[in-house]
Amino acid sequence: MTIIITDDDVKRLLSMQECIEAMRTAFRDFANGVAVNRPRMRYLAQHPDPERKYMANVHVGAVPSYGIACVRAGSQVIKPPSAKVDRRLYENPKAFNWGIVILYSIETAEPLALMHEFQLSGIRVGATTGLAVDQIARKNASTLGLFGTGKQARAALEAIACVRPIRHVNVYSPSAEHRAAFVRDMMRDLARDGMKIVAADDARSVVAGADIVCCATTAMKPVFDGNWLEDGQLVVSIANSDVTNKRSEVDLATYERANAVIVNDWESVIDNDQTELLEPLRNGVIREDQIHELGALLNGKAEVRQPDRSETTKGIIYFKNNSGLAIQFAAAGGILYKKASQQANNKTIPTEWLGSDLSAYYEAGFRPSP
């Protein structure tokens, strides 16, 4: 039987620490040539309403360490950016997220699960931020400056708090109401003894004195002035830029201050035309030898470490965590499938409903291709 893994199952079965370790395996395997990942593909198609577009979002890849290959297929109706609204707006008529991840067995090729992707999408991005922070940040990093108060910001805070002894968090978004709700919810759900989460009234105070500055927003334009950054800081952003949506949470000054830029996958940067990085590279603001893949840090092919506070240093380190990768869904999906199967209480559908019966061909000695 093929099981259904829902958003509720993801929240119930997958801890942030488990997801961070899944990302560690996935990115290390990817860097070692074991895991397979193709750059994310998004496209827009004409919609019956001229003010709207159909958008598809597709990931494909495999992590043999978990025995899982996957296809993530997202299907959306959007309103593209306009003179009135600077970002695409999701407009699915039934207010549903039509995103599904198919988990396949690498051993048998059969579909093991159909998995909702909304909750997992936020967790895997946060977990990748946590993994990078664990690899790069100073061990005693205790102050976090956080931009954003939505799903991604919550996951980022939880992940960073898993890997570093965060004691003080300054959080900012343009909405005072959202800031207050975020502080209330995170103090209830996450804050441990000694952790203080404060709603900041302005962006500059979020940057000031932070060991780590993390952007986890839907902003179309930079959320702070890179000239505010202090030497030695680690900066993280998740802005999702590709051929359908151009945006960046950090400005040119941030790139100018960067001693090293870490990316998830260089091929995806090129394929998705991430101009916010490619233009500073073409213009000589940064050099290609300053850019490293996260997996290269994990397997020792590159070394980037945030200096201790006592060290004299110039510049910052920037982690650009905004290339969605199929290996993230495959690795985390492997954990979820194993746990859900052990509990044996998920909805199921007959696996044969998802395939064509070729037994007669095989018995006749044929091996037809799909």
Side-chain angles (χ1 to χ4, degrees), residues 35-53:
V36 178
N37 190 84
R38 300 305 303 139
R40 173 179 55 200
M41 182 184 70
R42 282 176 169 167
Y43 68 82
L44 298 178
Q46 184 176 333
H47 188 274
D49 179 350
E51 293 189 357
R52 290 171 168 80
K53 293 284 187 181

Side-chain angles (χ1 to χ4, degrees), residues 329-345:
F329 290 101
I335 294 174
L336 285 161
Y337 174 74
K338 182 178 180 179
K339 285 191 169 184
S341 297
Q342 289 172 344
Q343 293 191 357
N345 61 359

Side-chain angles (χ1 to χ4, degrees), residues 265-330:
D265 172 31
W266 180 245
E267 184 181 9
S268 292
V269 171
I270 301 296
D271 192 83
N272 293 164
D273 190 29
Q274 295 182 11
T275 52
E276 73 280 5
L277 171 56
L278 294 175
E279 285 185 1
L281 178 61
R282 283 192 290 263
N283 294 333
V285 174
I286 54 173
R287 305 183 311 274
E288 193 164 344
D289 64 354
Q290 293 175 284
I291 303 172
H292 309 281
E293 289 187 330
L294 178 57
L297 274 59
L298 296 171
N299 68 11
K301 293 181 180 178
E303 184 172 356
V304 177
R305 296 284 184 180
Q306 184 181 25
D308 236 18
R309 293 190 191 92
S310 59
E311 297 179 51
T312 301
T313 187
K314 290 286 186 182
I316 58 101
I317 299 169
Y318 173 43
F319 173 47
K320 187 178 185 296
N321 179 19
N322 63 349
S323 295
L325 302 179
I327 57 173
Q328 297 168 316
F329 290 101

Side-chain angles (χ1 to χ4, degrees), residues 101-146:
V101 181
I102 309 172
L103 301 180
Y104 292 98
S105 165
I106 286 179
E107 181 181 3
T108 67
E110 66 182 310
L112 301 173
L114 304 179
M115 180 170 65
H116 290 174
E117 60 85 31
F118 180 76
Q119 287 296 331
L120 182 55
S121 190
I123 295 172
R124 54 101 191 184
V125 174
T128 303
T129 290
L131 172 61
V133 168
D134 192 34
Q135 188 67 29
I136 299 168
R138 55 177 69 111
K139 295 299 182 184
N140 60 352
S142 60
T143 303
L144 171 64
L146 181 63

